[in-house]
Each structure stands twice: as structure tokens, then as C-alpha cells.
Amino acid sequence: MHDDHSEKHPGSTVSYVIGFLLSIVLTIIPLYVVLNHSFSNMILVYVIMIMAVLQFLIQLVFFMHIRESEEPHYNILAIALGIIFVFAIVAGSAWIMTFNSQVQ
Amino acid sequence: MAHAVETGVKHEDHESIKIAGFWIFLVQDVLLFATLFATYVVLRNHYAGGPTPKELFDVPGFVAETFILLTSSFTSGLAALQLNKKSVGGLITWLVITGVLGLAFLGFEINEFTNMVQEGATISTSAFLSAFFTLVGTHGAHVTLGLGWMLGLIIQLARRGITPVTSRKVSVLSLYWHFLDAVWIFIFTVVYLIGVM
């Protein structure tokens, strides 16, 4: 991974090309299934959210080189904590608002 | 780390701390977008008699935006890779390509927003549109800021060449640009794809 040369930018052309191609595939699949209504809306939402999360992880690894950062991996800790907060804020808000009709 | 201290390359250490610091900034920016996404998810069905996403969103338009931004994220990575070759010319060329793609993305977005406003779908039409313009507009503002930053960095690279400082700035800018594309994946999915379902 990283050696004594801290100026070196991580990654290689190959890793960027792999990340780019996988991202294109993970953009076309959700677009295709949504425009063709391949599944019911409920399943569609799950399928495209999984594709989005996969593409996000691929970009973290192949574009942002999160695994190749300096030890200790504070950035991985920070992003993991961030993802927990995002989940709590977004899923929590959506969930609690489903009770809206019951309390009115 | 131990090796860097032994050889006394304090300056390089300092630059890598700045890259770590930039990761912390990105995480807090993730939280900013999380609150805007949460607002959008909660309000996305509140049309107040106004237009619905299905009527408003133009599929070729947002698909073009998605692929342009994805390609610019890729080219910003190729720009950063030129650091390893110590090629200022290659670096500036890829940054200019990234900047042009970024401008094209912004052009599509501004066009989309003006079309919506002309159709009467403004930020004050409905809760859905308030949340939509705030979320997508905040992302667009980030892209605009990134373009200004990129221009400044291109000028600095042309004048100073590749130094530890400019090379750290290129790494940080390319991280920022990848991050903007990562946010766009979720705007594409949550706002546009779910909107046209």
C-alpha cells in the first residue's frame, strides 16, 4: 500500500478505470429497472438503494482510496461514524414521520 | 510515521495531517447533506396542489448530469495521478477537462432549475419543491465552489509547479470532487429515480 513516500498520490490508473466502469454499471442498472418498472415500487426502492450504497462504497475504495490512507485510519473511523449519524438522521426522520397520521 | 520522524521530513507530515483534517471536514459535510436528505424524504409527497416530481423531472437531463459528474470525478482522479509522474502539464490538462465537465454539469442544472421556475415550480410552491431546491441547490453550490477552487489551483500550479504544498492541494481537491459525485449518487437515486417511479 503506502510506502515511505508520503507525497505519492494513492491508487493507479487501473484502480480508477475499474471504479469508473463499475460506477457506470451501477448507474445504468437502477436507471434501467426504474424506467422499465421491472419490479413493484417497494422492491424497486430497495434495489436502487442497494445499488447506490454499492456505488458509494466502490467510489470510497477505488476513487478516494480509503484503504490506502496513513495509519492509523482516522478517516475510516470518521466516515464510519458519519454513516451511523446519516442513517440515524435520515432513516430516523422517515420512520418517525410514519407515525404522523396516528397522532393527528 | 516513525520513519518520517527519523528522517525529519516535518513538512510532508504536516501536509498529510491536512489531508486527514480534510476527511473530517468531508464527514461534517456528509452530516449537512444528511439533514437535507432527511428533510427531502419527509416532505417529498407534500405537493400542496403543485406539480409532482413525475411531471417535473426530465429523464435525459438528469441522466446526462449523472454521467457528466461521474466522468469528471474519474478525470479528477486521473489529474491527481499525474502527481506521481511529476507532470505539471498533464495535471493541468486533466484539471481543465474536469473543470469543463463540472461547468457542463452546472449548465444542465441551471437549465433544469430555470425551466422548472418558468413552469411555475418555484422554491415557494410546495414543501416538496422547497426541500428539492435546497438539497439539489446546496450540491450545486458545492460544485460551483469546487470550480472556483479548481481555477485557483490551476493558476497556482502554472506558477509554482508541483511542490509538497500544491501536491497536497491537488489531493484534497480530488477528494472533494469525488465526494461531490458520491453525494450525487444519492440525489440521483433518492430524488430523481424515486421521483420518476
Side-chain angles (χ1 to χ4, degrees), chain A residues 1-103:
Chain A
M1 299 275 165
H2 72 100
D3 41 39
D4 53 343
H5 226 65
S6 63
E7 259 186 76
K8 198 176 180 302
H9 189 80
S12 63
T13 311
V14 176
S15 78
Y16 277 105
V17 171
I18 293 172
F20 186 49
L21 293 178
L22 287 175
S23 295
I24 289 176
V25 171
L26 287 171
T27 303
I28 289 175
I29 294 174
L31 192 64
Y32 179 84
V33 296
V34 166
L35 295 182
N36 287 292
H37 292 279
S38 307
F39 311 102
S40 70
N41 276 2
M42 188 69 179
I43 297 170
L44 270 183
V45 171
Y46 284 116
V47 169
I48 65 176
M49 281 312 291
I50 290 168
M51 299 287 170
V53 170
L54 272 180
Q55 193 181 343
F56 172 66
L57 292 176
I58 278 165
Q59 297 208 358
L60 269 183
V61 172
F62 290 100
F63 283 1
M64 298 172 88
H65 313 289
I66 191 154
R67 293 181 305 173
E68 295 166 51
S69 57
E70 306 251 326
E71 302 273 349
H73 294 295
Y74 290 127
N75 54 352
I76 297 185
L77 282 177
I79 205 99
L81 186 63
I83 289 168
I84 292 170
F85 285 159
V86 169
F87 185 76
I89 295 170
V90 180
S93 299
W95 180 54
I96 204 162
M97 290 309 284
T98 60
F99 294 93
N100 201 21
S101 54
Q102 296 176 24
V103 290

Side-chain angles (χ1 to χ4, degrees), chain A residues 4 6-13 16-17 20 23-24 27-28 30-31 34-35 37 41 44-45 48-49 52 55-56 59 63-64 66 70-71 75 78-79 82 85-86 89-90 93-94 97, chain B residues 1 3 12 16 23-24 26-27 30-31 34-35 37-38 41-42 59 63 66-67 70-71 73-74 77 80-81 83-84 86 171 174-175 178-179 181-182 185-186 188-190 193-194 196-197:
Chain A
D4 53 343
S6 63
E7 259 186 76
K8 198 176 180 302
H9 189 80
S12 63
T13 311
Y16 277 105
V17 171
F20 186 49
S23 295
I24 289 176
T27 303
I28 289 175
L31 192 64
V34 166
L35 295 182
H37 292 279
N41 276 2
L44 270 183
V45 171
I48 65 176
M49 281 312 291
Q55 193 181 343
F56 172 66
Q59 297 208 358
F63 283 1
M64 298 172 88
I66 191 154
E70 306 251 326
E71 302 273 349
N75 54 352
I79 205 99
F85 285 159
V86 169
I89 295 170
V90 180
S93 299
M97 290 309 284
Chain B
M1 287 297 269
H3 180 81
E12 286 186 11
S16 73
W23 274 97
I24 307 297
L26 287 184
V27 171
V30 164
L31 296 183
T35 57
F37 270 106
V41 168
V42 167
V59 176
V63 171
T66 303
F67 281 105
L70 175 61
T71 310
S73 183
F74 175 61
L81 276 181
L83 287 175
N84 300 344
K86 302 273 172 213
S171 291
S174 97
L175 266 184
H178 295 322
F179 162 76
D181 189 46
I185 300 168
F186 289 97
F188 169 71
T189 306
V190 174
L193 285 184
I194 293 183
V196 296
M197 248 178 214

Side-chain angles (χ1 to χ4, degrees), chain B residues 64-65 68-69 97-111 143 147:
Chain B
E65 284 175 75
I68 291 170
L69 200 64
I97 294 170
T98 309
V100 169
L101 288 168
L103 273 178
F105 169 84
L106 264 190
F108 270 98
E109 187 156 274
I110 291 168
N111 181 44
V143 173
L147 285 173

